Amino acid sequence: MADEAPFQLLHYELLQYIYKAADGGDAEQGRNVTKLESMGFRVGQGLLERLTKDTARFKDELDVMKFICKDFWTCVFKKQIDNLRTNHQGIYVLQDNAFRLLAQLSAGKQYLELSPKYLAFTCGLVRGALCGLGVKSIVTAEVSVMPACKFQVMIQKM
Amino acid sequence: MSRQSNRTTDSKKMNSELFTLTYGALVTQLCKDYENDEEVNKQLDKMGYNIGVRLIEDFLARSNIGRCQDFRETADVIAKVAFKMYLGITPSVTNWSPAGDEFSLILENNPLVDFVELPDNHSTLIYSNLLCGVLRGALEMVQMAVDVRFVQDTLRGDNVTEIRMKFIKRIEENLPAGDE
Amino acid sequence: MAVCIAVIAKENYPLYIRSVPTQNELKFHYTVHTSLDVVEEKISAVGKSLGDQRELYLGLLYPTEDYKVYGYVTNSKVKFVIVVDSSNTSLRDNEIRSMFRKLHNSFTDVMCNPFHNPGDPIQSKAFDGIVSGMMTQTG
Amino acid sequence: MQLRMAGSLSELPPELCCRPMAFVALTGLDVLYNAVHRAIWDAFCANRRADRVPISFKVLPGDHEYPKCRTKRTSYEWYIPKGILKTGWMNKHLNLVPALVVLFYELDWDDPQWKEKQSECATKVEIVRTSLQGRNTKVAVVLIQKKTPLPPGEDLVASERAQALCNACELSGKSLFVLPHTDHLVGYIIRLENAFYEHAQTYYYTEIRRVKSHKEFLNKTTHQLLFVRHQFKTGFFSELKQDSQNALKYYKTAYSLIHELRAHETNILEIKTIAGFINYKICRLCFQHNTPLDAIAQFRKHTDLCKKKIGNAELAFEHTAWMSKQFQSFGELFDEAIKLGLTAIQTQNPGFYYQQAACYSQDRKHLAQQLCQPGMIYPSPDPLDPQTGGLDFYGQRPWRQGHQSIDPPNTEKEKTGILALQIKEREVPHSELIIALLSNAVAQFKKYKCPRMKSHLMVQMGEEYYHAKDYTKALKLLDYVMCDYRTERWWGLLTAILTTALRCAYLMASVKDYIIYCMELLGRASTLKEEQKSRIEKNLNKVIMNEVPDPEPQCDQSSLNAARSLWSDCMALAGLNELTIEVQDYIPFIQCKARFCSPSFHLDQPIQLQVFLRTNCPHSVSFNKLTVSLSNQEYNQWCVMESSGQETMNLLPGKTKCYNFTFVAKTEDVGKKIEMTGVEVMLGSDHSRCVYLGWRGAGGDAASTHEALQASRSSRRCGRNVEMQQELEWDSLTLQQSTMIISRVPKISVHLNHQPPALNNEIYCIQLTVQSQEEGVAKDVKLTTGLKPGQDANLGQTTHVILDDAKVCDDTAPALLPDILLGDLKSGEKLEKCVYVRCVSTGPRVFLFHVAYSIETTVEGRQIICKCHKDETVTVETLVPFEVSVKFLSTKFEPLDQVAVDIPFLLMTDILSSSPWPLLLVSSSLQLATMVSNTPKLQSQLQEVVLQSDECASECFCLRCPPLTNTNTTVATGQYLISWKRKSSSTDSPLIQTTVTLPHVILESVPLYIHADLPSFGRVRESLPVRYHIENRTTLVQDVEMTVEPSDAFMFSGLKQVRLRILPGSEQQMLYNYYPLMAGYQTLPQLNISLPRCPTTSAHTLRRFLPQCIFVKPQGRRLDDASIAAA
């Protein structure tokens, strides 16, 4: 628990910075989301490198996803993903019923449209980690009820 | 199959790395966005300040520490409690000015720069400047105006990292706090 | 001990190659490059064959007349290759392992350096240090 | 013989490599002239498959001279061996000294001259025996007989004579055979040879024993050579005996023994040679025993032990040649084993050994080049020609055979010998050997999926061809592998190969290749140093200026002159001074990226196209022409840039240059895509040499995509350091290969004015205003309007559209009016139209207003006609204007569920407006079916009534249903017609008729119709006359009993109870005088009526039409007023 607070605050500052930079139109917003996402991507790569340093090589895609849901999530958010579903055609849905970065957002409709901000970074994290494991993907997230959150991973076959 | 067995994942430790890496991503983003290092340093300090003013709440709540009697006590609390709590390190407090209004925090290792190697074209970047902001912001919330700056940095070849803190004045309660 | 140490990107292009200055550098480039055949083969073997094929350390890739070439692959599919003089018989397998471990740790730090752009050639004093350490120290 | 000895000391002799087989000699056969003998011989030789015993047969004359056997020495005292293994030995035991000699002799048991023949046979045997003096070779006799023998034991003569013959020839019974020359020849032959085989084995067994027996005489000091020799021999004999297990054992000991020998300058070659032999044998046997790992281990040991045994430094090439041979032959053994079913793996296959062999051959070549000075004269007499004729021992120097002592031999001889060898070495075609070995290796690595290893070997082959001056072959190989290294981004290797390739290209003066390699060596992928690059760039420029380039460094001087002349020739050559190079798949020194400035352009915008060029080479690059070609060639003319006059266009190193092109699209290309098909940069000029660098599509090259990807993730700061910024900008430049031409933006406004929602059936007016903001005249403006296509199908039937001037909007009107011509519109001119829509059904509809026109504009000074159009759509909801409800009431305003025949009732209609707009009800009317109006004439009570929304207009009609002939109980009422329009609509706008069909009603007939006449009110204490009418509606006489119930509100006068009779159809009247007692609404005294004739009808139903109560006014007195007030 020790250094949760600084991270939360740092992440919050990140949002503030990126979004204060320019409150332009949707295009601008889109660009900001991408910025956050790519920062997350880079962090994800780094984390993964450290995290898989002492692990055996991965068997297959599912093995990788399990890793993301268990170890990776635990290390970043100190809990596992609550539910992992897949259509076995390269789409996975990871559900976190109490997503940490939404915790400080109080529930309620008016915050729902803020949620993209709060998820972009994490989407990047996941994509970065997967990419680190040689899995190219697109990661999107959606919030239906705070603070539950669904991350959708679309694997891109190469 | 359970991978758990062969993976050793100390979540607390990882988290600190998450923090370190995220901070890194922030700094490089700033480097992309701003013309020169000075502006980056400013921005870092500002963000630090914002964090500080919020972090102090958390700090006071979790470490039930009352008002400090004097600056020396404050120094100790910062070094022994705050740094320990949030960065897991305990810097030493040294180089007190005769007037006792100025001292140095010596960080043997600074988690923020764990993996950092500065490229040559960032000679004037104060990578960890966020910390200064944090300290400034936090203390301002307890009615202390201070001046905080890095005087030594391992990143730039010094063999320790030194943060210099100077007490400026008590802020009267009724004054509005900070520029944010 | 090591006469050549290389880090190879996921896409198999070199991120870092250092070899002892005394000998023909180009030759080592070829040695490392050709060794990738075996690395690829071993990586692709994962899952197919039974038993634990899943160690990061790939062991001796192939012996040539004058060199022994060892391989290692990270989970991010980055490969490390260490070339040792085959005259150097004193070297034990676990020593090679520990060399790779050192290399991997240092590499991980490089990957975590925010100023490093993954996929770019490795430019890091720390990493250089580790590598030269392995090339000079006598095993 | 001579050559084999000298030319290749490293060669393995065939007698070593072959598989040893028992040697059996056949004599007494005349295979030339005697058909029978021939047949026998054939039977022996023909198809010797694995199932036949391993024997090599030879036909020898009966008096053949076998090699003399030296007299066995009884002691090895003083005997110093001169070498390890005699060159003749193996051959001797394979082909000269038989294990068994078989004498064929034609003789039947009952031969008339038996005696003579027997002794003749004996002498023949004797002859053979004598020539085999001292050897253990066995002799056997085969009698060729014409008769088939009887089963053994039956023919007493035979057995007795056989015995006699054996005695005569001193043969054991086992050595005498009979071969009946009959039809089952082969069968007999096989039986024979099996017997021979046994004999042979015993022979070789004794040989082994013999050799072993020497052992005790030997001593460690002087006879080490013999230890080896004997072990080898026993091994070899064991092989002949087909005892490979023991053979292997003996060879192994031999091998370990040979390395115990003290090696020195003079014997090292011999040691190595024999070691090589033994090693070969061991490996071969291991593979044969299917223990490849043993073979490999042995070979490793062998090479490790020998690789340092170089021997005479001046002949070092000999050693490498030998090493090479060792690897090659092991590779061949390995390969052979695989062909016989052994499985190899990626990391352990023959390829490695061929490769290593090649490696040593390369060393051999280099050593040869160092050690063998050219221009030496071959010494005579030839020191390599051993006067003694042939070399006695394997691996010895011809000029000092048998020299075993450590003390140095005759130095003079040594010198000449060495010289001779060196000169011979010069004649060796090293490159051929190397290339052959490499290509063997390539084949193997291909087989064991090692693409990279394969490429590496191909590079070596290429380089070898280069050394062999076969540049075409060299380039063929190098080009092939280049792209592998390029795609895998191994720049160091790529550069190395390119450098070699460039040398080849120079030496064969192949201009195009030369330019290509230069370009890539100057490119950013090249790892060359600046100065090298600038040298190459200079040369490139020379070639472009049609001058001879400077030679490449490290080209061997000998071939330079040739190259120079080649160059000057092809420079002189006029004509083909123009060449095009597709650079996309390389990483050329000029980078090109092109893009359309926007993914789409409007027809009236000039299309903008940018080409970015950049170079990385040390000096600036100048060029004379830049062209972009597009999918529609007509535009190409606009995408050419040529250097004007003297000054050329040029690129500074590291600086990005941008070239802009603009052109105007053709009208017919609207909606089409324009694509870049290529970009070309022309170096040089017509009066020197034109080199076109061509990029497909919008440029980019083999490396650019990766660079772009990296750049996108880079954390490098934009704008900090100029050089870096440029870099970043370049990498993140994205190509835009194609653009869309879309129609010009219309400069007209289309406004719609209407009042939604539309009301069902109404003629809904949408007012359309088109105003032109064009400068010019908008020609032939067309309007397409109505229901937007692609909506619910049946909307089409229920929607009707007309334009104002058309009158009626009935069901014939279409849903969509296409292309209504509206003429031209001048600048600023306005045009108004009303579109009327009639929606027969409710619900939403989308209406389209598509205004198209064409206009002339000038773009970049060119006149073009643009077609523009503007679409407006509007969604209109259609509602019902009002709800109509109808109810039936009795004349007492009580709701009726059925009406009585010929009794008046009321019809009440409510019109409830549901329109948001005020409605004007112009009129309403009833169209009655069976009903008739009770009132003289029906007229609408709500003419010109205006209904605001949610207001309700009601009217009431008094009707009566006449008695009906037919007796159905329900009747149609009729229709209710309402004509209305919007209050807002203009006076001349048409009315809308809404018809509501009134509900049917149930009809009933009543027997007795009783109704009353009475004043509308009464007054307290004033009489109130009430007259009851009682009509008999039946066809019968009716008795009616009436009683008036007393009531405390009234007093009354008249009959309290009466009984009367009414005739059918007639009416009776009863008059009562009521006298109200109290004020207010008062219930009238109840009238009780009963019809005894028809008891079904109750009093209640009869009373229905009577009023129940009446209002009674108080008396008009003051105090009474007060009392009322009080009450």
Short mmCIF file of all heavy atoms in Angstrom, two decimals, chain D residues 162-192:
data_model
loop_
_atom_site.label_atom_id
_atom_site.label_comp_id
_atom_site.label_asym_id
_atom_site.label_seq_id
_atom_site.Cartn_x
_atom_site.Cartn_y
_atom_site.Cartn_z
N ALA D 162 35.89 -90.10 -54.49
CA ALA D 162 36.11 -88.80 -53.84
C ALA D 162 37.24 -88.94 -52.82
O ALA D 162 38.21 -88.18 -52.81
CB ALA D 162 34.83 -88.36 -53.15
N GLN D 163 37.13 -89.99 -52.02
CA GLN D 163 38.15 -90.26 -51.01
C GLN D 163 39.53 -90.33 -51.68
O GLN D 163 40.47 -89.65 -51.27
CB GLN D 163 37.82 -91.60 -50.31
CG GLN D 163 38.69 -91.85 -49.09
CD GLN D 163 38.66 -90.65 -48.15
OE1 GLN D 163 37.60 -90.18 -47.77
NE2 GLN D 163 39.82 -90.10 -47.81
N ALA D 164 39.55 -91.07 -52.78
CA ALA D 164 40.81 -91.29 -53.49
C ALA D 164 41.38 -89.95 -53.94
O ALA D 164 42.55 -89.62 -53.69
CB ALA D 164 40.56 -92.19 -54.70
N LEU D 165 40.48 -89.12 -54.52
CA LEU D 165 40.93 -87.82 -55.07
C LEU D 165 41.50 -86.96 -53.96
O LEU D 165 42.58 -86.37 -54.08
CB LEU D 165 39.76 -87.13 -55.75
CG LEU D 165 40.09 -85.82 -56.47
CD1 LEU D 165 41.10 -86.09 -57.57
CD2 LEU D 165 38.84 -85.19 -57.06
N CYS D 166 40.78 -86.92 -52.81
CA CYS D 166 41.27 -86.12 -51.68
C CYS D 166 42.69 -86.56 -51.32
O CYS D 166 43.59 -85.73 -51.18
CB CYS D 166 40.35 -86.31 -50.48
SG CYS D 166 38.79 -85.48 -50.70
N ASN D 167 42.85 -87.84 -51.25
CA ASN D 167 44.19 -88.32 -50.89
C ASN D 167 45.20 -87.84 -51.90
O ASN D 167 46.26 -87.30 -51.55
CB ASN D 167 44.19 -89.84 -50.81
CG ASN D 167 43.22 -90.28 -49.73
OD1 ASN D 167 42.86 -89.49 -48.87
ND2 ASN D 167 42.75 -91.52 -49.82
N ALA D 168 44.84 -87.98 -53.17
CA ALA D 168 45.77 -87.62 -54.25
C ALA D 168 46.17 -86.15 -54.13
O ALA D 168 47.33 -85.78 -54.30
CB ALA D 168 45.12 -87.90 -55.60
N CYS D 169 45.17 -85.29 -53.84
CA CYS D 169 45.46 -83.83 -53.82
C CYS D 169 45.77 -83.34 -52.40
O CYS D 169 45.87 -82.12 -52.18
CB CYS D 169 44.26 -83.07 -54.35
SG CYS D 169 43.70 -83.63 -55.94
N GLU D 170 45.83 -84.23 -51.47
CA GLU D 170 46.08 -83.84 -50.07
C GLU D 170 45.07 -82.80 -49.63
O GLU D 170 45.42 -81.73 -49.16
CB GLU D 170 47.51 -83.32 -49.89
CG GLU D 170 48.57 -84.37 -50.22
CD GLU D 170 49.94 -83.72 -50.40
OE1 GLU D 170 50.16 -82.68 -49.74
OE2 GLU D 170 50.71 -84.21 -51.22
N LEU D 171 43.80 -83.12 -49.93
CA LEU D 171 42.72 -82.22 -49.54
C LEU D 171 41.91 -82.86 -48.42
O LEU D 171 41.78 -84.08 -48.38
CB LEU D 171 41.76 -81.97 -50.70
CG LEU D 171 42.22 -81.09 -51.84
CD1 LEU D 171 41.17 -81.11 -52.94
CD2 LEU D 171 42.45 -79.67 -51.34
N SER D 172 41.43 -82.06 -47.55
CA SER D 172 40.46 -82.61 -46.58
C SER D 172 39.12 -82.71 -47.31
O SER D 172 38.88 -81.96 -48.28
CB SER D 172 40.30 -81.66 -45.39
OG SER D 172 39.46 -80.58 -45.76
N GLY D 173 38.29 -83.58 -46.85
CA GLY D 173 36.99 -83.77 -47.50
C GLY D 173 36.24 -82.45 -47.61
O GLY D 173 35.55 -82.17 -48.58
N LYS D 174 36.47 -81.56 -46.64
CA LYS D 174 35.74 -80.28 -46.63
C LYS D 174 36.10 -79.42 -47.84
O LYS D 174 35.41 -78.51 -48.20
CB LYS D 174 36.06 -79.52 -45.34
CG LYS D 174 35.37 -80.10 -44.12
CD LYS D 174 35.16 -78.97 -43.08
CE LYS D 174 35.07 -79.55 -41.68
NZ LYS D 174 36.29 -80.34 -41.31
N SER D 175 37.26 -79.70 -48.43
CA SER D 175 37.75 -78.82 -49.49
C SER D 175 37.45 -79.34 -50.88
O SER D 175 37.92 -78.80 -51.87
CB SER D 175 39.26 -78.60 -49.34
OG SER D 175 39.54 -78.20 -48.02
N LEU D 176 36.73 -80.45 -50.95
CA LEU D 176 36.38 -80.99 -52.26
C LEU D 176 34.89 -80.77 -52.48
O LEU D 176 34.07 -81.09 -51.62
CB LEU D 176 36.68 -82.49 -52.34
CG LEU D 176 36.25 -83.17 -53.63
CD1 LEU D 176 36.97 -82.57 -54.83
CD2 LEU D 176 36.47 -84.66 -53.55
N PHE D 177 34.58 -80.18 -53.63
CA PHE D 177 33.18 -79.88 -53.92
C PHE D 177 32.79 -80.41 -55.28
O PHE D 177 33.65 -80.58 -56.15
CB PHE D 177 32.94 -78.38 -53.88
CG PHE D 177 33.34 -77.74 -52.59
CD1 PHE D 177 34.62 -77.22 -52.43
CD2 PHE D 177 32.47 -77.71 -51.52
CE1 PHE D 177 35.00 -76.65 -51.23
CE2 PHE D 177 32.85 -77.12 -50.33
CZ PHE D 177 34.12 -76.59 -50.18
N VAL D 178 31.51 -80.66 -55.42
CA VAL D 178 31.01 -81.12 -56.72
C VAL D 178 30.02 -80.09 -57.23
O VAL D 178 29.13 -79.65 -56.49
CB VAL D 178 30.32 -82.49 -56.58
CG1 VAL D 178 29.62 -82.84 -57.88
CG2 VAL D 178 31.33 -83.53 -56.21
N LEU D 179 30.23 -79.70 -58.48
CA LEU D 179 29.30 -78.73 -59.09
C LEU D 179 28.64 -79.36 -60.30
O LEU D 179 29.19 -79.34 -61.39
CB LEU D 179 30.05 -77.47 -59.49
CG LEU D 179 29.23 -76.43 -60.25
CD1 LEU D 179 28.00 -76.02 -59.45
CD2 LEU D 179 30.09 -75.21 -60.58
N PRO D 180 27.47 -79.98 -60.09
CA PRO D 180 26.80 -80.57 -61.24
C PRO D 180 26.36 -79.45 -62.15
O PRO D 180 25.69 -78.50 -61.71
CB PRO D 180 25.57 -81.27 -60.62
CG PRO D 180 25.74 -81.17 -59.14
CD PRO D 180 26.66 -80.07 -58.85
N HIS D 181 26.78 -79.56 -63.39
CA HIS D 181 26.46 -78.47 -64.32
C HIS D 181 25.08 -78.73 -64.90
O HIS D 181 24.93 -79.32 -65.97
CB HIS D 181 27.53 -78.40 -65.40
CG HIS D 181 27.13 -77.57 -66.55
ND1 HIS D 181 26.91 -78.11 -67.80
CD2 HIS D 181 26.83 -76.26 -66.63
CE1 HIS D 181 26.51 -77.16 -68.59
NE2 HIS D 181 26.46 -76.02 -67.91
N THR D 182 24.08 -78.43 -64.09
CA THR D 182 22.70 -78.67 -64.53
C THR D 182 21.91 -77.39 -64.42
O THR D 182 22.50 -76.32 -64.27
CB THR D 182 22.04 -79.72 -63.60
OG1 THR D 182 22.08 -79.19 -62.27
CG2 THR D 182 22.76 -81.05 -63.67
N ASP D 183 20.61 -77.54 -64.44
CA ASP D 183 19.82 -76.29 -64.52
C ASP D 183 19.84 -75.48 -63.22
O ASP D 183 19.78 -74.27 -63.25
CB ASP D 183 18.39 -76.59 -64.98
CG ASP D 183 17.89 -77.90 -64.43
OD1 ASP D 183 18.61 -78.47 -63.58
OD2 ASP D 183 16.82 -78.35 -64.86
N HIS D 184 19.96 -76.11 -62.04
CA HIS D 184 19.96 -75.24 -60.84
C HIS D 184 21.35 -74.75 -60.50
O HIS D 184 21.84 -74.93 -59.39
CB HIS D 184 19.39 -75.97 -59.60
CG HIS D 184 18.33 -76.96 -59.93
ND1 HIS D 184 18.59 -78.24 -60.31
CD2 HIS D 184 16.98 -76.82 -59.94
CE1 HIS D 184 17.45 -78.89 -60.54
NE2 HIS D 184 16.44 -78.03 -60.33
N LEU D 185 22.02 -74.16 -61.47
CA LEU D 185 23.42 -73.76 -61.27
C LEU D 185 23.55 -72.80 -60.10
O LEU D 185 24.28 -73.05 -59.13
CB LEU D 185 23.94 -73.12 -62.55
CG LEU D 185 25.40 -72.69 -62.49
CD1 LEU D 185 26.29 -73.87 -62.18
CD2 LEU D 185 25.83 -72.02 -63.78
N VAL D 186 22.73 -71.73 -60.16
CA VAL D 186 22.89 -70.66 -59.15
C VAL D 186 22.78 -71.24 -57.75
O VAL D 186 23.61 -70.96 -56.87
CB VAL D 186 21.82 -69.57 -59.37
CG1 VAL D 186 21.96 -68.47 -58.32
CG2 VAL D 186 21.92 -68.99 -60.76
N GLY D 187 21.82 -72.11 -57.56
CA GLY D 187 21.64 -72.73 -56.24
C GLY D 187 22.94 -73.36 -55.77
O GLY D 187 23.43 -73.06 -54.68
N TYR D 188 23.53 -74.15 -56.67
CA TYR D 188 24.79 -74.81 -56.30
C TYR D 188 25.87 -73.78 -55.99
O TYR D 188 26.60 -73.88 -55.01
CB TYR D 188 25.24 -75.73 -57.44
CG TYR D 188 24.44 -77.01 -57.54
CD1 TYR D 188 23.53 -77.22 -58.57
CD2 TYR D 188 24.59 -78.02 -56.58
CE1 TYR D 188 22.78 -78.38 -58.66
CE2 TYR D 188 23.86 -79.19 -56.65
CZ TYR D 188 22.96 -79.37 -57.69
OH TYR D 188 22.22 -80.53 -57.76
N ILE D 189 25.92 -72.76 -56.85
CA ILE D 189 26.96 -71.73 -56.69
C ILE D 189 26.86 -71.11 -55.30
O ILE D 189 27.84 -71.03 -54.56
CB ILE D 189 26.81 -70.63 -57.75
CG1 ILE D 189 27.08 -71.17 -59.15
CG2 ILE D 189 27.75 -69.47 -57.46
CD1 ILE D 189 28.52 -71.57 -59.40
N ILE D 190 25.62 -70.77 -54.92
CA ILE D 190 25.46 -70.11 -53.63
C ILE D 190 25.92 -71.03 -52.52
O ILE D 190 26.68 -70.64 -51.63
CB ILE D 190 23.99 -69.67 -53.43
CG1 ILE D 190 23.69 -68.51 -54.39
CG2 ILE D 190 23.74 -69.24 -51.99
CD1 ILE D 190 22.32 -67.95 -54.29
N ARG D 191 25.56 -72.30 -52.66
CA ARG D 191 26.01 -73.23 -51.62
C ARG D 191 27.54 -73.23 -51.58
O ARG D 191 28.16 -73.16 -50.53
CB ARG D 191 25.45 -74.63 -51.89
CG ARG D 191 24.54 -75.12 -50.74
CD ARG D 191 24.04 -76.51 -51.00
NE ARG D 191 22.89 -76.48 -51.90
CZ ARG D 191 22.57 -77.47 -52.73
NH1 ARG D 191 23.33 -78.55 -52.82
NH2 ARG D 191 21.49 -77.38 -53.49
N LEU D 192 28.12 -73.24 -52.80
CA LEU D 192 29.59 -73.25 -52.88
C LEU D 192 30.18 -72.04 -52.16
O LEU D 192 31.00 -72.16 -51.26
CB LEU D 192 30.02 -73.24 -54.34
CG LEU D 192 30.11 -74.59 -55.04
CD1 LEU D 192 30.51 -74.40 -56.48
CD2 LEU D 192 31.12 -75.48 -54.32
#
